[in-house]
Amino acid sequence: MNSLLKYLLILVGLISVIINIVLICLNSNRLPKCSMSWPQESLQVKHSDKSLVFADLTAEEYNSVRDYMWAQKDLKISRSFTAKPSENFLFLIDLSLPRKADVLRFLDANGQKPAREATVVVFNGERGYIKEYLVGPLPGPLQHRDVTQKKYNTPTLPFTARTVTIGEYVELFKLFDKVFQKLEKPLSESFGYIRKKRELLPFECMPRGIKSGDRRTWISFFRDFNGMYIHPVGFEMLINHESVNTSHWTIDRLMYNGQYFESIDTFIVDYEAGSIKKIVNKDLPNYASLKPREKPTGLGPQQYYLQGKRYSVKNNQVVYLDWSFAFGLSSLTGMRVFDIRFKGDRIAYELSVQEAMSVYGSVTPGMMLTKFLDSSIGIGRFAHELVRGIDCPYAATYVDTYRYIDTNATQRFRNSICVFEHDIGRPLRRHFSDFFHTGYGGMANSALVIRTITAIGNYDYIWDFIFYQSGSVEAKVHATGYISSSYKVDGNLKYGHQVAENVLGNIHTHFINFKVDLDILGVKNIFQTKDMIYEEVPLPWMPSEKAKIPQLVEQQIGTEKKAAMLHSAKTPRYLHIASNQTNRWGHQRSYRLQVVSFAGDHLPESESVEKSMSWARYKVAITKHKDEEQTSSSLYSQNYMWSPFVDFSKYIEDDEVIDNEDLVAWVTAGFLHIPHAEDIPNTVTVGNGGGVILRPHNYFDEDPSINSPDGVYFNQGSESDCEYNKMACLEKDQCSSTLEPFTYHGFEGVMKFE
């Protein structure tokens, strides 16, 4: 009887649990759906079509410019996607930014809208030079003018300064195939190479030589794995591809297992004779694979918007609480935002990525000289579709971009920019009071993020511009992806750590340059620094005793040379772009530049290629705004490093006065990367990044976030009162999230060499 009663009780308990689960499910399905966005009329800032003055070119505009240039018979531009080096090729179409003064008249004084124009880069293989044109006004009727002389002080640019195009890569791959046919036996025995089945994949060294005009590239080879970058095989070759006639290209050197050979035939003879130290092929697992070792078992925390999105994206403009800004994505330099306003006042005219640079150390030729300047390849060019829920929050707003670079057709990159508001996860400010008065006041740190991610070869860069309710803006980058590696040979442990079997992770630097065109209450600004010293002072009540006390030191810097803060020199800790207006307390209203960086050492200025990356000398450099000084680097810096057409140091050499002028800050952040075992399979973002924070400093009379609708306050006895504590009534706002289905089209835009 006791047993029967026990079983009945268990059965009743199980039925009760099942009923409760069913009821919970039914009730949860009845929850209201979370609204996706605030009504437009409730936004604190209204959209303006004037932001379109900064808008990237549309697909229709790209096609219009392309067709116009194709129609110019004297230019003889090939329409082939894989045009040969000997042909004329339209490499790039991008927005040409109008003059700042014209834009400000349009934005602020109802002036005429500046003409909309495109920059066009043509590689003239037939004539052996490069030219740049301006094409406009858009939408038409279109005209073009040659601006090469005006921009670069030369009528033409050398043809060897060009980026390697997909058409040139196609010809290089044909050459690889011919070489591999000759070397099939040693490549098979050493690396398991099987033609058309188990290939060796190339990775190129840059720059392409040791002097201006060189186009001799060391190519390193890797196993045919997903994540090839950490599967080096110890085989490299030097290709001379200076000639536009591909039949004249030659193999000038080979490197095998740390040994150099003058020619393919020399290598074959020595290999067959057994006079070299051979590499014996060994099948290896793909330790670079990012496929999870365990099947996913659940989902991490997800965010959604209980009362709808508090921001709005229209055309190329974002409005969010007190913020508004225009955005764009340059094929060459990547993310940029314009006309940044807080509470209606312009804080910055432009905040943009300029360049990403890496310098590598190695004993092997493929990396001994390697210094990557990514804008020459195209930082924005490789902004592919963002994966919903991983690259950005699932419920973020996603924006398509269009580009025309190294192609013959406008390319659409779906969902390549995302915008979202999220809780940073720590309070923006708070205080718990338990002395004399009891109470709590605080505020969640909800901020707006606009993000893109560029996958440039092995590295993935996550670019974030973040807008805080305190009036601060942050531009930062985090690096992930794969390290570059080389085959382990004698002597190369001086250049990194071993991270896998016969694999060295090579030491390298990362330097990122940002352009910060701050306009603090107008375009007449000054540059200030602030720091501290310890001053010894007598105690007023006991003059015989002294104490060292921190003291504020302020300085106004009046010329460009004095305002160029070298990495190697001690930099004042507070750097300000200030107006001549004062706040309520009599202090000049300013914004502070706070650099977040743990960069390695910059390349010594004595190096022949240093001028092509001279911006990286400076932690911060302040220059007078000039429309001619639009960027700190150029498309041609990578392949013409020895005689760069944009040398940033020359922006400073004229040493112009910067008192009460329109000022631009060029900020360099970065990190030193000494690869380690935990970079396998690939590098995590934690600690691998840097950036700059723009912080109000006496710009306001108090912290503007005190007016935020997110503030919380309660004291003892009012913990459950909802008037100043929305958290206490959160259950009233319960809703079930409305999510779009997961889709991905990112593979549509990948490079194809065929």
Side-chain angles (χ1 to χ4, degrees), residues 648-669:
F648 177 79
S649 65
K650 291 183 177 178
Y651 294 3
I652 297 166
E653 277 182 7
D654 56 8
D655 200 24
E656 291 189 279
V657 173
I658 55 173
D659 282 338
N660 294 306
E661 296 288 353
D662 187 0
L663 303 184
V664 177
W666 308 85
V667 179
T668 300

Side-chain angles (χ1 to χ4, degrees), residues 665-684:
W666 308 85
V667 179
T668 300
F671 62 97
L672 172 65
H673 193 172
I674 302 175
H676 45 90
E678 292 80 8
D679 282 310
I680 305 297
N682 74 340
T683 298
V684 300

Side-chain angles (χ1 to χ4, degrees), residues 627-644:
D627 289 298
E628 299 77 31
E629 297 176 354
Q630 179 62 39
T631 58
S632 61
S633 190
S634 91
L635 170 63
Y636 315 106
S637 293
Q638 178 74 80
N639 294 300
Y640 222 73
M641 281 187 157
W642 307 269
S643 308

Side-chain angles (χ1 to χ4, degrees), residues 133-333:
Y133 302 89
L134 277 184
V135 177
L138 290 161
L142 298 180
Q143 294 180 318
H144 70 285
R145 63 186 187 276
D146 184 345
V147 293
T148 316
Q149 178 73 46
K150 182 179 179 182
K151 285 183 70 173
Y152 302 108
N153 199 31
T154 180
T156 62
L157 296 164
F159 199 54
T160 51
R162 74 192 186 281
T163 300
V164 174
T165 63
I166 290 176
E168 188 172 356
Y169 280 123
V170 168
E171 299 303 316
L172 284 169
F173 289 164
K174 290 177 182 177
L175 179 59
F176 298 158
D177 192 52
K178 290 178 183 177
V179 172
F180 287 176
Q181 287 184 55
K182 283 188 175 183
L183 297 175
E184 190 160 2
K185 181 183 177 184
L187 296 183
S188 175
E189 292 178 350
S190 301
F191 316 124
Y193 168 77
I194 302 173
R195 190 166 181 264
K196 303 294 185 182
K197 184 176 180 182
R198 190 188 296 159
E199 298 284 352
L200 294 179
L201 304 180
F203 190 71
E204 57 194 326
C205 162
M206 299 181 204
R208 305 176 188 281
I210 56 172
K211 66 182 187 305
S212 297
D214 278 356
R215 204 169 180 82
R216 301 170 75 226
T217 305
W218 274 104
I219 307 289
S220 305
F221 289 93
F222 295 76
R223 291 182 186 271
D224 192 0
F225 280 133
N226 191 355
M228 56 169 260
Y229 307 102
I230 49 177
H231 284 283
V233 297
F235 175 66
E236 304 180 15
M237 60 186 179
L238 178 62
I239 298 179
N240 185 333
H241 53 123
E242 287 178 16
S243 174
V244 297
N245 185 339
T246 58
S247 66
H248 294 166
W249 291 358
T250 58
I251 308 298
D252 288 359
R253 290 285 191 284
L254 292 182
M255 196 279 290
Y256 173 92
N257 200 16
Q259 302 160 84
Y260 290 85
F261 302 89
E262 294 289 329
S263 67
I264 295 172
D265 292 337
T266 303
F267 170 67
I268 292 173
V269 169
D270 288 353
Y271 185 89
E272 292 292 347
S275 59
I276 62 177
K277 186 179 178 181
K278 295 183 179 181
I279 299 172
V280 178
N281 179 53
K282 180 180 179 181
D283 287 336
L284 295 171
N286 185 11
Y287 44 79
S289 174
L290 298 184
K291 185 176 182 179
R293 306 285 169 83
E294 302 288 340
K295 288 187 177 180
T297 57
L299 288 172
Q302 301 291 313
Q303 72 169 43
Y304 56 97
Y305 301 93
L306 289 173
Q307 295 180 328
K309 295 176 180 177
R310 301 192 295 182
Y311 65 88
S312 174
V313 182
K314 181 182 177 183
N315 297 323
N316 68 319
Q317 188 183 44
V318 177
V319 298
Y320 164 66
L321 298 179
D322 290 314
W323 288 103
S324 69
F325 59 88
F327 65 89
L329 184 69
S330 163
S331 293
L332 298 183
T333 60

